[in-house]
Amino acid sequence: GTPVIHTLKHIVASGDSVVRIQGALSGTLGYLMSGLQEGKPYSSVVKEAHKLGFTEPDPRDDLGGMDVARKALILSRLWGSELEMKDVQVEALFPEDFASLEVPDFMEALTKLDDDYAKKVAEAEEAGKALRYVASI
């Protein structure tokens, strides 16, 4: 398994209790957030990640946050949680009305989000933080 799963299993097996797990669980979304932090437009970073094969063929599969939610749920179950997917709050990185678009149209529509994400990055920086997509369980 992955190092975090191995470590978590050992912590639980040793009898220690896990109070909280928090982390960036998606390489794709980490790539996106790093690109935003560098000042690149949201749409450009998503298109670049897609071109490089870092995203799923339909980038909404990554940008919707469900992959992160599934990983968080797996980790929570390893420490004995009985959470279900319905218990997990997920924030997609695109508006709901983009979900019905065909992939090429979705990719083109991403430019509409550039200013919003630039503003989010600036607000995070002003607060001494960095914009990240983080799971917290």
Side-chain angles (χ1 to χ4, degrees), residues 10-125:
H10 276 44
I11 290 170
V12 172
S14 74
D16 287 338
S17 59
V18 177
V19 177
R20 182 177 186 188
I21 297 174
Q22 187 172 13
L25 304 178
S26 168
T28 301
L29 297 183
Y31 182 86
L32 172 62
M33 296 301 153
S34 293
L36 291 173
Q37 210 64 41
E38 293 169 5
K40 296 178 184 176
Y42 176 84
S43 60
S44 297
V45 181
V46 173
K47 289 174 185 175
E48 182 179 288
H50 188 251
K51 182 180 177 182
L52 293 170
F54 294 167
T55 69
E56 295 295 327
D58 183 342
R60 287 172 289 202
D61 293 340
D62 296 296
L63 300 174
M66 289 307 293
D67 182 53
V68 171
R70 283 189 290 273
K71 290 173 182 175
L73 197 56
I74 289 167
L75 292 175
S76 75
R77 288 178 178 165
L78 287 173
W79 71 354
S81 166
E82 295 182 13
L83 290 175
E84 297 293 332
M85 189 57 79
K86 66 179 173 51
D87 301 316
V88 180
Q89 292 182 334
V90 180
E91 183 179 336
L93 299 179
F94 59 88
E96 199 173 305
D97 60 322
F98 282 28
S100 62
L101 299 173
E102 295 294 324
V103 174
D105 297 329
F106 172 78
M107 297 298 279
E108 287 305 312
L110 291 175
T111 58
K112 296 176 184 175
L113 304 178
D114 288 345
D115 290 342
D116 290 341
Y117 277 96
K119 182 179 176 185
K120 289 179 183 188
V121 169
E123 289 171 353
E125 287 177 349

Side-chain angles (χ1 to χ4, degrees), residues 121-135:
V121 169
E123 289 171 353
E125 287 177 349
E126 287 174 18
K129 299 179 180 180
L131 191 63
R132 296 292 181 256
Y133 196 93
V134 175

